Amino acid sequence: MHTAAILYNGELRTTATHPRSGSVIETDAPVDNNGKGERFSPTDMVASALGSCMLTIMGIKARDKGWNIDGTTVSIDKIMGTDPRRITGVKVLIAVPQTAGLDDTARKILENAALTCPVAKSLHPDIQQDVTFNW
């Protein structure tokens, strides 16, 4: 089964459908690249995939250890280069609620889980990943 079926809708917009679930994501080109900026751009999706992957892998590790990290958030700032136009960096802020009550060992385990998630390891090494954890 395909990972996604993607349709070009015109006017620099796409619709991606997840075949198994039917879930849909729409994209739009950003304002600085001829679009309307009314949806996630494809490069926004790359940055968002990184944050979602980090949270997912942290969640797996937390579940396995019996820790509750519900309510953890990720904020991402994507940095674009111009020659060539590409993502040159991401600033990631991961905020874990203090109610999680995690000790230093647990924190290190979860930090390692986030930093070694599949998307983080799939991004080109030239893309700087600046990750901060707020515990």
Side-chain angles (χ1 to χ4, degrees):
M1 183 174 288
H2 298 296
T3 300
I6 304 168
L7 171 68
Y8 181 69
N9 300 314
E11 297 188 26
L12 309 181
R13 292 189 172 181
T14 68
T15 300
T17 303
H18 183 254
R20 177 176 263 180
S21 68
S23 179
V24 173
I25 299 170
E26 295 178 325
T27 68
D28 187 11
V31 173
D32 66 350
N33 200 25
N34 303 304
K36 296 178 183 176
E38 295 176 344
R39 311 272 191 287
F40 284 103
S41 73
T43 54
D44 292 342
M45 293 300 299
V46 171
S48 298
L50 175 62
S52 292
C53 188
M54 288 176 157
L55 282 179
T56 300
I57 300 302
M58 288 174 68
I60 291 168
K61 186 58 75 172
R63 182 189 61 201
D64 291 349
K65 297 285 191 177
W67 304 326
N68 182 349
I69 61 165
D70 291 359
T72 299
T73 61
V74 172
S75 299
I76 294 189
D77 292 317
K78 172 190 70 177
I79 302 157
M80 292 295 292
T82 57
D83 191 23
R85 184 173 173 77
R86 67 180 187 88
I87 301 170
T88 59
V90 288
K91 292 184 180 183
V92 183
L93 173 62
I94 300 174
V96 180
Q98 289 185 343
T99 56
L102 301 169
D103 63 20
D104 286 342
T105 300
R107 291 175 181 185
K108 287 187 187 313
I109 289 169
L110 291 175
E111 287 178 6
N112 184 62
L115 297 172
T116 59
C117 81
V119 174
K121 291 300 184 183
S122 296
L123 294 177
H124 193 281
D126 287 350
I127 299 175
Q128 183 178 349
Q129 298 180 44
D130 179 5
V131 182
T132 301
F133 293 88
N134 282 349
W135 298 100

